[in-house]
Amino acid sequence: MPPKLLGRGAVQIRWRKVATSPRRWGSSISQRPGSDSVRFPGAVNSKFTTQMSFVKPADIPAIPTYRVMDSDGVLVDTDRGPPDVTDAEVLTWYKNMLTVSIMDVIMFEAQRQGRLSFYMVSAGEEGVTVGSAAALSPDDVVFAQYREAGVFQQRGFTLQEFMSQLFSNKNDNGRGRNMPVHYGRKYPKMHTISSTLATQIPQAAGAAYALKLKALQNPNHPASVVACYFGEGAASEGDFHAALNMAATRSCPVIFVCRNNGYAISTPTLEQYRGDGIASRGIGYGIDTIRVDGNDIFAVYEAMQAARKLALEGGPGGGRPILIEAMSYRVSHHSTSDDSFAYRARVEVEDWKRRDNPIIRLRKWLERQGIWDEDRERETREDLRRTILKEFGAAEREKKPALREAFTDVYEEMTDETREQMQELKRILQTYPEEYDLRQYEGGADSL
Amino acid sequence: MTTAPPALVRRLLLRRPPSFKQPRRSHSTAPSPSARLNLPIDYKTTPLLHHTPSTLSGATDLPQHATTKRLNLYQAINSALRTALSTSDKVLLFGEDVAFGGVFRCSMDLQTEFGSERVFNTPLTEQGIVGFAIGAAAEGMKPVAEIQFADYVFPAFDQIVNEAAKFRYREGGTEGNAGGLVIRMPCGAVGHGALYHSQSPESLFAHVPGVRVVMPRSPSQAKGLLLSAIFECKDPVIFMEPKVLYRASVEHVPNEYYTIPLSKAETIKPGKDLTVISYGQPLYLCSSAIAAIEKATGVSIELIDLRTIYPWDRQTVLESVRRTGRAVVVHESMINYGVGAEVAATIQDGAFLRLEAPVKRVAGWSVHTGLTFEQFILPDVARIYDAIKQTLEY
C-alpha cells in the first residue's frame, strides 16, 4: 500500500484537535517505568525479554490433524463414543459422495467426447464437501470456489440442476452464462461460483457480517453462518489475507474451509507456501483454527458442527470467524484441460485412490457397522448411474436459454444502449439467417 | 466512553487546513499576474451553484419550496449519508478512517449517531473493503464503502470488475445481486496531489458493463445523486466525489430526502451555437470559458453536465448537438480512451449530418500528474476557450 500522503497529512493536521476526545487515548497509554510487558498499542500482551531469539517456524510443532476414524474405517479413540449421527444420515452422506463421484466419471468422459465444454471433478474431496455441508443449516449461506459439488449435492441441489448447468440449457439457474461447474442456488443459498480465485472469501466475510446485523436488528431472524470454501492455492491470493483480517476485526460469523489437496493445478504446496499449511495463518489473524483429516467425513462433520457453534457464540448473530483446514489429496486432474501426469507420478495418484480415500473409508465404516455390503454397493452404484444418465440425456436434449438472456441482468433493467444492441443483433440474424444456427435456442431470433 | 461535545469538535475540525487558504502556496498552481482566462474559480459567484434558495427552487430535479441550508460538498455528502442511515437500517458505512469522521470529514459524527455496528473502520485493504461490501450487499444490505482516494481503488479493481459488475448476470435465475452496493471515492486534482492523489479513473469503470459511474458537480447534486445511488438504484454504483470541491463549493442544499435520477444529464445552460459536454469540477472551468467567449464574440453556448458517466444520457447530448452542430467534450482524466472518446464517437454516429466541425476533446494530456506540472497537464479555462474558438471557426 503506498503511503497516502495527502490523506494522512490531512489527518495529522487535525489529530491534535481530535485527540481531545478521551477514547482516542484508550490504546496508547505510555510505558510505565519498570513495566514487564509492552504497552505499545500494537501488541498489548507482550512481555519484554532480554533474550534475543527469533521465533523459528521450524521450532513450532506442526498443527495436529484431527481424525475420528483411521483409513480402515475404525474409531481411533475408543475412549470416546462413535460419532453422534444416525445410520440413516450417514447412509445419505455416503450416497451423496457416491453420486458426486459417479457423476464425475460420466461428465469427465462426456467432456472428452466433446458433449460439454469443460468439467472439473472433485475426486478425493467428497468427504470434505459432503461432511462439512452436513453440519450446515438450510439458512446458512455458502460461497464456494468450484470443487464443491458435494456441498451442492448435500444441500439439495438436484441432478436436474447439475445437468442443466453443465449443459447450459434453459433450466440452468445461471441462464447459460457461466462455464460448467459454476453452480448456484437460491435456497439453501449457495452463491453462483465465479472463476476468479479467492474473490469469494472477503465476500463471505461481508455476507456473514450482514447476517449478524440482521440477527441483531431482528430477534426473529434465524442465527446463521456463512461457509466459505477455497483451495490452498487460492489462499495465496491477497483476497484471502484481506478476508481473514476483516472477518476477525469485524467479528463475523463465517467458517473458512480450506481444501488443502496438495496441488494448485501443477504447483505443489512446497511452491505455494513455506509455513505450516494454511491453518498456521489463521492464528496470526486471531482466528480459532483447526486442521482436520479431510478423508475422514466424521472428523470434518464434527469440526464443522463445532465451528458453527463457536461462530454463533457471543450474542445475537454470533461474533467469531473460524478456519478449518481440511487435508486431502486431489486424486483427479485439475480439470478436463489438464493432464496431471505431466507433473506428478501416476503411482502417487493410484496410491491415494486405492489406499486412502474418503469414500472407501466411509464404506469400510459402514460395513463394520453391518449396514452396508457388496450387494448394496453394486445396486446403489447401478441405480445412481442410471439416474444420472437419464438426467444427462434429458438435459442434453433440452433447449438452450433464449438469446435474450445474453442481454438481461447486466443491470436490473436493460439500458437503452443494450436494447439497441439487442435489436441490432436481431437485424443481423434476420439478414443473414444462413450464418447462424438458432434451432437450439428457445424462441430463436424472436426472443430478442 | 465519553467524547468531547460534538459542537466543539465540529468547530475545531471545520477549521480549514493551510492548503486551502488563499493566497495559494508555491506548490499549488498560481495564476499568471496578467491572466484574463486562467483565473482562480470564484465559487462564490459561479452560476453553477445555488447561492440563494430562490435559484434552487427553480432547478429541475430538486425539491420545490424545500427548507435549505448552505453546505459545502463534504457537508452535503455527510447530510446524504445521515439521511440514508436514518432512512434504513440496511445502510452501512465503512472504509479506512471513516469512524472518526473521515480524512475529508464526510462521515463526521455518523458513528456517534448510528453506532459502531453500522459505521466503522476497516483494516487498510481496498480489495477487502469492496469484497466485504459485495458480500453484505448480496445478503440484502446497502453498504456504502469508502475508498480513501480514487487513486487507491486499483487493488479492488478485480472485485469491482469481475465480481460486483457481473454478480447479477452470473446469478441469473437465483436473483442474487450486489445491487445495494455504493462505492464512494474522492477523485480528481487538488492542486498538489501529484501521481496518487489526483486521479480520475472513471473511464476505466465506464468500460465495465454492470456498474454505474456517477460524478456530481455540486453539493445539492451530490446529495440527490448519492441518495439515488443508495436507495433507487439496484445496481452497484461507483460514486466519485471531486475532492477539490469538498470545501470550495458551497450552496443551498435541501434539508429533506430527495433523489436525482441516475443516467440523466442536465443542461446547465442553454445555447444554440455549440455544445460543451463535461462533468464534475471541469464544469466550472467550462462555465468561465463560455462566459468569456460569449462576452467576446456574442455566440451562445450550451453546457451539459453528464452527471452519470455510464450508462450515460446519450439522448440529451445528441439532441443538443443536432441543434448546435458543434461539440466540445471536457474532462480532467487523460484524453486517451477517456470519456470524451465515447462521447465524440457517439456524436459522429448519431449527429453526423448535423456536424459542422469535428468534435473536439479537451482533457488531461496522456501523462501522469507530475506535482509541479499540474496546471500545464490538466484542462484549464484557456484551453477550453481555445477549443470552443477553434470549433466555432472551423
Side-chain angles (χ1 to χ4, degrees), chain A residues 1-8 10-11 13-15 17-18 20-24 141 143 172-175 177-178 182 184-186 189-214 216-217 226 237-243 245-247 249-250 252 405-413 415-418 420-421, chain B residues 1-4 8-9 12-13 15 17-18 20 89-90 92 94 96-97 99-100 103-105 111-112 116-118 120-136 138-141 148-149 152 155 158-159 162-165 167-176 190 192-193 196-197 208-212 232 234-235 243 247 310-311 314-315 342:
Chain A
M1 194 62 248
K4 300 176 177 181
L5 296 175
L6 192 67
R8 297 299 174 204
V11 175
I13 287 162
R14 301 176 188 91
W15 177 259
K17 297 160 188 171
V18 178
T20 53
S21 162
R23 64 190 172 131
R24 303 224 41 106
V141 172
F143 284 83
D172 170 21
N173 292 342
R175 295 183 174 153
R177 293 163 184 156
N178 306 303
H182 291 50
R185 201 186 207 208
K186 191 171 186 174
K189 196 181 269 183
M190 294 177 279
H191 282 293
T192 301
I193 288 164
S194 74
S195 309
T196 40
L197 285 183
T199 47
Q200 78 278 18
I201 317 179
Q203 293 172 10
Y209 191 73
L211 296 182
K212 172 179 162 164
L213 276 196
K214 283 185 195 174
L216 276 170
Q217 291 171 352
V226 171
E237 294 282 1
D239 275 333
F240 167 87
H241 160 67
N245 200 28
M246 288 195 78
T249 54
R250 291 313 302 170
C252 305
E405 303 291 10
F407 296 88
T408 56
D409 296 335
V410 177
Y411 294 92
E412 190 203 22
E413 284 170 27
T415 64
D416 291 344
E417 183 186 10
T418 304
E420 285 170 26
Q421 291 175 358
Chain B
M1 274 193 303
T2 55
T3 52
L8 173 67
V9 175
L12 292 171
L13 294 173
R15 237 178 249 176
F20 289 93
D89 272 355
K90 291 180 177 174
L92 311 177
F94 53 85
E96 295 158 15
D97 306 302
F100 88 110
V103 299
F104 289 110
R105 319 314 296 143
Q111 188 179 59
T112 317
S116 58
E117 298 294 345
R118 292 178 62 206
F120 54 88
N121 287 340
T122 64
L124 222 159
T125 167
E126 284 75 13
Q127 64 196 102
I129 291 167
V130 175
F132 191 91
I134 292 170
E139 302 318 314
M141 289 290 165
Q148 205 161 66
F149 287 83
Y152 304 128
D158 185 36
Q159 285 286 352
N162 279 324
E163 298 293 315
F167 211 103
R168 185 189 293 279
Y169 192 76
R170 73 174 182 236
E171 289 266 355
T174 72
E175 293 168 29
V190 70
H192 50 273
Y196 306 111
H197 297 86
V208 181
V211 293
R212 291 183 186 266
E232 289 179 5
K234 304 289 190 295
D235 304 308
K243 58 183 165 294
R247 289 160 194 274
Y310 194 79
R314 298 181 302 163
Q315 287 320 309
E342 172 67 17

Side-chain angles (χ1 to χ4, degrees), chain B residues 55-79:
Chain B
T55 61
L56 186 136
S57 63
T60 50
D61 295 331
L62 290 176
Q64 308 297 302
H65 316 299
T67 58
T68 65
K69 195 173 172 188
R70 269 170 58 84
L71 301 176
N72 65 25
L73 183 68
Y74 85 66
Q75 291 164 330
I77 298 285
N78 185 264
S79 164

